[in-house]
């Protein structure tokens, strides 16, 4: 774990550091996002299943 900067000059990051950290974030987040989207689309495609499908349903005619 990195320690917080004690010197204000250490808090400033170079463009190269910012770019490197941004690329790491994008590349690492790619797998997680792809997995989440795959799962969500799979759930959308599943047929609806009702817990109590054994209940007899009768149509009552309207008087």
């Amino acid at each position: 774990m990195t320690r917080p900067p004690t010197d204000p000059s250490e808090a400033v990051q170079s463009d190269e550091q910012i770019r490197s950290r941004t690329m790491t974030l994008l590349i690492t987040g790619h797998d997680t996002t792809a997995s989440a989207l795959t799962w969500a689309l799979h759930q959308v495609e599943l047929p609806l299943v009702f817990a109590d499908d054994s209940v007899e349903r009768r149509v009552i005619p309207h008087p």
Side-chain angles (χ1 to χ4, degrees), residues 21-63:
R21 291 181 180 184
T22 304
M23 292 304 292
T24 301
L25 178 67
L26 290 174
I27 291 170
T28 318
H30 173 266
D31 291 334
T32 308
T33 304
S35 296
L37 286 174
T38 301
W39 178 84
L41 291 174
H42 173 72
Q43 293 298 315
V44 168
E45 289 296 318
L46 290 178
L48 292 176
V49 178
F50 296 99
D52 193 8
D53 205 17
S54 63
V55 174
E56 183 180 335
R57 295 179 177 88
R58 290 182 267 166
V59 178
I60 303 172
H62 186 49

